[in-house]
């Protein structure tokens, strides 16, 4: 099999600014590693503030023409991007696996998911509408005119190197905005490849700019302080989100914040256990558990606790761990050493407080950032992993005896991104839906991400929605005109 890096030529491992692929101003570069081996797979340009501002120049210059481009034309360019990603799915997937560590099957899933944002927003681009109505008191008319907000700054995480950028870039372009994306330093290659694909698809220069850097703080704060920037969309940790919200406040920027989660997955005694097990496996293990909507806490009602736990542990124990590009691997490498250490400490903390390990629980020797699928039971409420994002293949199981009890526990967190409920009782499910403090809820389903659905959290999990019709509204301002008409 050929080297996955072949798809991204050396000249495209540089900054994408305007119509150029260029080195960072000082010529600096940084190394990107394969997390499964620690091997350096590429050097990419390491932008400084001056490069970030050059990208903003390009995005600002391209703004008026892009906003005036007919929606149908913008839509066609998004469709062309969707097609190119779909046709080149295998190449993109292998690149994602190489730089991020997830197994190839997961990476293929991410490409399909990411590509769908381009298809969905190609369809939305031509359906942006205003209103015209008579003022209630009569005498004049009210006209609303949606307009693109302006140049947008995007900051994305490493866990979905394609999809987290796609779900910002696609709606922004559909709305008529230009963009600057700063991908995570650990996974910059996929975003550069996307920029290349969009260039080939015919997206005009300056509309999609990509700035790779190890100096995120400096570069992003300079962009946010510049009055030409009109919007920040961030996906990442709540901690960094708070910092960026403060910076965005100085320039009164529109913001979309997709932050951390602490999803509770609740299995009721009346659930179809086969469905609940399938759902729990997906909700826990999709993307190796390195997902903001991963089931972080699994609550099982006492009468089915034993059976569910035994069957879940068996399935977790049967998963194979290895390099994501190898055949038959279910669980690839975690992103870095810090992640493995954090997970190891969370497991040790739970065990110290009385939890029992049923499966896994010990990091393997050798190179690469691996951690085995792990199931813990008797996890006490004060275990740190019930509040921290585990972000890995570790599943704590906790039993419950009443809906009031489990809802109180599920809501006892600063986060409010996703939740999951398994029950055959419709009324019970709806009561959970009304009482759980989350932006998203899977009912008898472990997979909830869908470009046609509004993705986003409440509480400290974020502000705003991505995907769905709501997704494009994040990139539109509304000007209202009062028209005198007695
Ligand atoms: P992170 O540490 O917050 O980093 C996210 C991005 O922010 C990266 O591009 C990072 O750059 C950049 N960054 C870090 N510090 C910054 C600063 N001071 N100023 C400007 N940019 C800064 O998060 P992560 O570890 O990459 O991703 C995992 C987190 O993302 C989890 O909390 C997860 O729940 C969350 N997430 C949320 C969603 C959602 O939709 N709600 C989806 C996916 C992930 P560097 O790479 O250079 O550090």
């Amino acid at each position: 099999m050929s080297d996955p890096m072949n798809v991204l030529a050396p000249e495209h491992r540089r900054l994408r600014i305007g119509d150029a692929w260029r080195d960072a101003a000082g010529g600096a570069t940084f190394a990107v590693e394969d997390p499964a081996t620690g091997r350096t797979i590429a050097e990419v340009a390491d932008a400084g503030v001056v490069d970030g501002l050059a990208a903003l120049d390009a995005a600002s210059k391209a703004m008026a023409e892009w906003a005036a481009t007919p929606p149908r034309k913008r839509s066609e360019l998004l469709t062309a991007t969707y097609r190119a990603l779909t046709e080149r799915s295998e190449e993109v997937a292998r690149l994602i696996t190489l730089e991020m560590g997830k197994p190839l099957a997961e990476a293929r899933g991410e490409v399909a998911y990411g590509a769908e944002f381009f298809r969905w927003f190609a369809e939305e681009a031509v359906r942006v509408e205003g209103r015209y109505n008579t003022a209630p008191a009569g005498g004049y008319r009210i006209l609303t005119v949606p307009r693109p907000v302006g140049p947008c700054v995007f900051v994305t995480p490493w866990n979905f190197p394609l999809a987290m950028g796609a779900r910002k870039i696609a709606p922004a372009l559909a709305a008529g905005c230009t963009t600057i994306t700063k991908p995570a330093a650990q996974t910059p290659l996929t975003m550069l490849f996307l920029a290349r694909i969009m260039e080939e698809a015919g997206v005009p220069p300056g509309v999609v700019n990509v700035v790779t850097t190890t100096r995120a703080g400096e570069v992003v704060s300079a962009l946010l302080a510049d009055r030409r920037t009109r919007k920040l969309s961030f996906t990442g940790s709540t901690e960094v989100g708070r910092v960026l919200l403060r910076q965005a406040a100085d320039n009164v920027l529109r913001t979309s914040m997709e932050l951390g989660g602490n999803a509770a997955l609740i299995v009721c005694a009346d659930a179809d256990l086969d469905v609940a097990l399938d759902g729990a496996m997906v909700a826990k293990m999709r993307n190796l558990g390195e997902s903001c909507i991963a089931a972080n806490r699994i609550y099982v009602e006492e009468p089915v606790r034993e059976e569910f736990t035994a069957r879940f542990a068996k399935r977790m124990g049967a998963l194979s761990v290895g390099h994501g590009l190898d055949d038959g691997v279910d669980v690839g490498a975690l992103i870095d050493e810090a992640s493995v250490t954090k997970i190891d400490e969370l497991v040790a903390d739970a065990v110290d407080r009385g939890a029992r390990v049923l499966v896994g629980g010990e990091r393997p020797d050798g190179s690469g950032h691996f951690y085995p699928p792990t199931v813990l039971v008797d996890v006490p409420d004060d275990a740190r992993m019930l509040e921290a994002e585990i972000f890995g293949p570790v599943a704590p199981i906790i039993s419950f005896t009443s809906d009031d009890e489990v809802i109180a526990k599920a809501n006892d967190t600063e986060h409010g991104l996703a939740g999951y409920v398994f029950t055959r009782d419709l009324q019970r499910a709806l009561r959970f839906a009304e009482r759980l403090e989350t932006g998203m809820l899977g009912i008898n389903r472990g997979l909830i991400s869908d470009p046609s659905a509004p993705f986003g959290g409440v509480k400290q999990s974020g502000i705003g929605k991505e995907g769905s019709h709501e997704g494009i509204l994040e990139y539109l301002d509304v000007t209202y005109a009062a028209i005198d008409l007695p």
Side-chain angles (χ1 to χ4, degrees):
M1 195 62 87
S2 68
D3 182 349
M5 277 311 302
N6 291 346
V7 302
L8 192 66
E11 64 263 33
H12 301 129
R13 299 174 195 173
R14 302 192 291 170
L15 310 176
R16 174 66 180 162
I17 297 180
D19 62 357
W21 291 89
R22 52 195 245 195
D23 293 328
T29 62
F30 65 96
V32 184
E33 281 182 9
D34 172 356
T37 61
R39 185 175 67 88
T40 295
I41 50 176
E43 290 281 334
V44 299
D46 192 357
V49 168
V50 78
D51 303 300
L53 293 178
L56 182 55
D57 284 344
S60 303
K61 285 197 186 107
M63 184 62 217
E65 198 174 329
W66 182 245
T69 300
R72 177 66 73 201
K73 175 70 185 159
R74 295 202 301 259
S75 170
E76 282 164 356
L77 291 168
L78 294 174
T79 302
T81 304
Y82 162 74
R83 292 218 176 97
L85 279 171
T86 306
E87 278 158 21
R88 305 188 68 177
S89 163
E90 197 59 19
E91 292 166 71
V92 189
R94 286 168 60 78
L95 193 59
I96 291 174
T97 291
L98 189 65
E99 68 172 341
M100 185 276 175
K102 69 179 80 177
L104 205 43
E106 292 275 348
R108 291 184 185 119
E110 181 182 347
V111 180
Y113 174 53
E116 279 298 332
F117 284 99
F118 289 97
R119 177 153 75 163
W120 174 265
F121 285 108
E123 292 158 348
E124 287 293 297
V126 291
R127 316 237 182 279
V128 174
E129 293 168 347
R131 287 197 316 268
Y132 178 80
N133 60 287
T134 303
Y140 70 100
R141 303 294 180 266
I142 292 168
L143 175 70
T144 65
V145 185
R147 299 197 314 192
V149 297
C152 302
V153 171
F154 297 151
V155 181
T156 57
W158 49 263
N159 63 340
F160 290 93
L162 175 73
M164 297 302 97
R167 68 186 194 181
K168 301 182 191 307
I169 294 171
L173 267 57
C177 297
T178 57
T179 65
I180 302 150
T181 302
K182 192 222 77 68
Q186 286 164 313
T187 57
L189 303 173
T190 305
M191 190 50 58
L192 292 172
F193 191 48
L194 175 65
R196 174 69 184 144
I197 281 180
M198 296 189 80
E199 179 189 12
E200 286 174 344
V203 173
V207 174
V208 173
N209 302 281
V210 178
V211 174
T212 54
T213 181
T214 56
R215 288 167 280 173
E218 282 170 55
V219 174
V220 173
S221 65
L223 288 169
L224 300 187
D226 191 302
R227 285 172 58 183
R228 293 170 298 173
T229 299
R230 289 314 316 141
K231 159 114 196 172
L232 162 69
S233 180
F234 170 74
T235 299
S237 60
T238 297
E239 191 188 358
V240 174
R242 284 191 197 104
V243 171
L244 296 184
L245 269 173
R246 282 188 208 106
Q247 293 178 11
D250 284 341
N251 213 358
V252 193
L253 295 180
R254 287 277 297 269
T255 55
S256 302
M257 291 279 149
E258 297 286 348
L259 309 179
N262 182 5
L265 184 144
I266 298 167
V267 181
C268 299
D270 62 41
D272 179 327
L273 275 199
D274 292 332
V275 171
L277 279 158
D278 287 348
M281 287 302 295
V282 172
K284 177 72 256 180
M285 293 306 294
R286 176 170 168 257
N287 217 47
L288 296 76
E290 291 177 313
S291 157
C292 52
I293 54 170
N296 208 55
R297 305 168 282 163
I298 299 182
Y299 292 102
V300 186
E301 201 168 5
E302 188 50 37
V304 292
R305 178 186 51 81
E306 216 173 296
E307 181 183 349
F308 176 89
T309 303
R311 291 175 66 187
F312 182 70
K314 191 168 171 205
R315 283 179 67 169
M316 288 285 279
L319 298 175
S320 67
V321 181
H323 195 299
L325 287 175
D326 291 344
D327 286 341
V329 166
D330 301 305
V331 182
L334 296 173
I335 190 69
D336 57 19
E337 180 57 28
S339 186
V340 180
T341 303
K342 182 191 84 174
I343 290 168
D344 209 28
E345 285 171 4
L346 289 176
V347 170
D349 168 77
V351 170
D352 281 351
R353 293 173 200 264
R356 282 185 300 124
V357 176
L358 287 192
V359 172
E362 277 188 32
R363 56 179 305 177
D365 296 331
S367 65
H369 312 303
F370 294 98
Y371 200 87
T374 296
V375 179
L376 296 161
V377 289
D378 303 335
V379 181
D381 289 339
D382 62 354
R384 277 173 41 218
M385 66 169 58
L386 301 188
E387 179 56 32
E389 274 189 294
I390 299 170
F391 239 61
V394 174
I397 297 183
I398 310 108
S399 74
F400 73 94
T401 54
S402 79
D403 290 4
D404 284 347
E405 175 202 357
V406 76
I407 288 169
K409 285 184 178 174
N411 287 343
D412 185 19
T413 164
E414 67 180 16
H415 295 298
L417 192 58
Y420 305 88
V421 174
F422 292 84
T423 170
R424 277 188 274 218
D425 179 338
L426 178 62
Q427 290 189 340
R428 197 174 180 190
L430 293 176
R431 277 194 290 269
F432 275 112
E434 291 185 6
R435 294 179 63 195
L436 287 173
E437 295 166 354
T438 61
M440 297 170 281
L441 184 66
I443 298 179
N444 296 322
R445 238 185 115 69
L447 188 62
I448 55 175
S449 299
D450 185 328
S452 63
F455 191 108
V458 297
K459 294 162 74 177
Q460 297 193 29
S461 286
I463 301 168
K465 299 289 181 190
E466 291 191 319
S468 181
H469 180 60
E470 285 88 343
I472 197 166
L473 301 180
E474 301 274 327
Y475 296 93
L476 292 167
D477 283 330
V478 173
T479 296
Y480 135 67
I483 308 164
D484 200 45
L485 192 60

